[in-house]
Amino acid sequence: MWRLRYYRISVGGYRLELTTPAGFLYAYGHSSVIPDVELEAWLIHDAGLEGPQVDVQRSCAVGHVF
């Protein structure tokens, strides 16, 4: 399953990373809000995927996903 993760970055805001089922980084973006549904939708659509194909994980810690 593809994975979309949010990471809090130390300079403020969030980095979104879309990774393939094999764990390779496919795309990323930056946002000042969580959740950023527009950026989520754009990254998922750009990869040619549908929402149910992607596991969305949001985080509030620097570099930590829970």
Side-chain angles (χ1 to χ4, degrees):
M1 174 170 269
W2 288 70
R3 190 173 292 170
L4 182 66
R5 296 181 184 177
Y6 279 79
Y7 296 94
R8 179 171 286 167
I9 51 180
S10 59
V11 295
Y14 300 90
R15 175 181 168 108
L16 285 74
E17 294 182 353
L18 181 63
T19 55
T20 67
F24 295 104
L25 179 64
Y26 180 82
Y28 69 92
H30 292 93
S31 178
S32 60
V33 296
I34 187 172
D36 187 333
V37 292
E38 288 183 26
L39 183 55
E40 284 181 19
W42 184 85
L43 289 170
I44 292 168
H45 175 75
D46 188 56
L49 302 170
E50 307 243 344
Q53 295 174 283
V54 181
D55 177 26
V56 178
Q57 300 178 354
R58 295 178 178 96
S59 173
C60 292
V62 176
H64 176 72
V65 176
F66 58 84

